[in-house]
Amino acid sequence: MKSSSESSRWSGLIDYFGLLGVIALMMLFFGTQTENFWTLPNLFKTANQIPEFTLLAIGMTFVLIIGGIDLSVGSVFALSGVVTGVAAVQWNWPISLAMTLGVFVGGCCGFLNGFVSERWRIPSFIVTLGMLEIARGAELMIANSQTQYIGGAVEKLGMPIPGLGITPAFLIAILFVVIAQVILSKTVFGRYLFAIGNNEEAVRLSGINARPLKITVFVIAGLMAGFAGLFQVWRMGSADPAVGVGHELTAIAAAVVGGTSLTGGRGSVVKSFLGVLIIAILASGLVQMRTSFHFQRIVTGVVIVLAVILDAYRQKVTWVEFRDSFLKRKPAAR
């Protein structure tokens, strides 16, 4: 057992060094190919654009670890921001209360995802796909498809801290990463999540009810999307119902690039954060190289595919098993 634990620890360290090595190589490449990549304004700009994706990746990491998936986080992200904007602008709520409502809505969406999936044994892939459309439609209806400009009440929250160059949102996102990693690696709740992802039936036979734990994970993903929506509002000074399209794929990509398994049972929030950094540096470098937006999407897609292939190789599963992990249910755990 000891040798197995030490092997796992060394494997984890190799993953960390591998991700940091990729980041270093990417920064070296883009730094030599462009003039402004290494400048502080560009580095601060890149850092200040990732808090939203960091929170979405945290929530997605939790969901993937239990063997699920959440395709609704992009729409819930936008819905939370729109609810905040409408409450502050149209209903004249105090901004603190409006932001609380936005996060609460995110948590409710996550609860519905988890409850429906567990109550009726429907794959999370299908339930969250439905929530993606529900949340997107709700936000457009609530905001009447109009951007809600909030202005000074939130703009100052999105401004860089004088002397540091980074925003409060970046520091808060780092704090969330630390807290989430501690929950995963140091608490009984975290150990149960890994156990559910590895073998839910074994967890059931050991007398543990996995349902409330899995619902809680989806609530966490919804809350992270809600906070991410607030960060977007802070950064833009407004709530735009058109944002968040495709963010769920970016969150999945960041988690998988960071080593989180798509079939459950393995993952790390810190590594997912490094995955967010890799995707952000890639996007920033391609912009500096003046590549087209369409080419950037192609490259990002290639990175996602490569990450999935690497994950399948690590897990030594076939593509059929990989597909069935999302489209078919495991034996009911009652």
Side-chain angles (χ1 to χ4, degrees):
M1 181 65 74
K2 183 178 179 180
S3 60
S4 176
S5 176
E6 290 179 351
S7 175
S8 177
R9 189 178 300 113
W10 277 110
S11 176
L13 287 175
I14 291 172
D15 287 344
Y16 277 116
F17 284 119
L19 291 169
L20 291 173
V22 170
I23 292 174
L25 289 174
M26 289 175 62
M27 296 190 71
L28 180 63
F29 172 77
F30 289 123
T32 57
Q33 299 299 314
T34 64
E35 295 181 359
N36 299 319
F37 185 82
W38 278 106
T39 60
L40 285 178
N42 181 60
L43 295 177
F44 286 145
K45 179 182 178 182
T46 302
N48 292 332
Q49 287 179 337
I50 66 171
E52 297 104 285
F53 294 111
T54 299
L55 295 195
L56 294 178
I58 291 173
M60 191 64 72
T61 301
F62 274 75
V63 174
L64 291 177
I65 284 174
I66 63 169
I69 195 167
D70 190 344
L71 298 179
S72 68
V73 292
S75 294
V76 174
F77 159 83
L79 176 62
S80 298
V82 164
V83 169
T84 301
V86 169
V89 176
Q90 297 187 19
W91 302 343
N92 295 317
W93 284 24
I95 189 61
S96 58
L97 195 58
M99 292 191 296
T100 301
L101 178 63
V103 175
F104 177 74
V105 168
C108 288
C109 292
F111 174 78
L112 288 175
N113 282 334
F115 179 79
V116 173
S117 178
E118 290 305 308
R119 175 64 179 81
W120 287 280
R121 295 293 176 183
I122 303 173
S124 56
F125 174 85
I126 296 173
V127 175
T128 58
L129 186 62
M131 180 58 74
L132 181 153
E133 292 297 330
I134 294 171
R136 184 62 65 183
E139 57 159 293
L140 292 172
M141 185 171 63
I142 293 171
N144 198 23
S145 302
Q146 300 295 316
T147 299
Q148 307 297 309
Y149 179 72
I150 304 174
V154 294
E155 281 180 339
K156 60 184 179 183
L157 296 172
M159 297 295 290
I161 300 171
L164 288 180
I166 55 177
T167 62
F170 179 83
L171 298 178
I172 295 173
I174 296 298
L175 179 62
F176 272 109
V177 169
V178 174
I179 294 173
Q181 183 63 43
V182 169
I183 290 173
L184 273 183
S185 59
K186 302 294 183 183
T187 67
V188 174
F189 174 71
R191 288 195 289 273
Y192 283 168
L193 300 188
F194 285 107
I196 291 171
N198 280 313
N199 192 333
E200 184 176 345
E201 181 65 10
V203 172
R204 184 189 70 81
L205 293 174
S206 66
I208 299 169
N209 187 353
R211 283 185 171 181
L213 298 175
K214 296 175 73 174
I215 293 174
T216 301
V217 165
F218 280 97
V219 172
I220 290 173
L223 289 174
M224 290 298 100
F227 278 111
L230 290 189
F231 287 178
Q232 170 75 16
V233 170
W234 293 2
R235 188 159 61 88
M236 305 300 292
S238 60
D240 185 354
V243 301
V245 176
H247 280 24
E248 59 280 346
L249 297 180
T250 304
I252 294 171
V256 175
V257 168
T260 300
S261 173
L262 282 169
T263 52
R266 195 185 72 232
S268 161
V269 172
V270 174
K271 292 177 185 175
S272 294
F273 175 67
L274 295 178
V276 171
L277 282 179
I278 288 174
I279 293 175
I281 291 170
L282 179 64
S284 176
L286 292 175
V287 169
Q288 292 290 323
M289 294 178 71
R290 301 183 186 281
T291 58
S292 69
F293 175 72
H294 306 299
F295 182 75
Q296 294 170 30
R297 295 194 65 176
I298 292 173
V299 172
T300 303
V302 170
V303 170
I304 294 172
V305 172
L306 291 176
V308 172
I309 292 173
L310 178 61
D311 175 65
Y313 175 77
R314 284 174 170 173
Q315 294 295 313
K316 292 182 172 56
V317 298
T318 67
W319 289 110
V320 174
E321 292 171 331
F322 170 71
R323 180 201 62 193
D324 291 348
S325 68
F326 288 119
L327 300 183
K328 293 184 179 179
R329 295 295 305 173
K330 295 176 181 178
R334 298 181 183 276

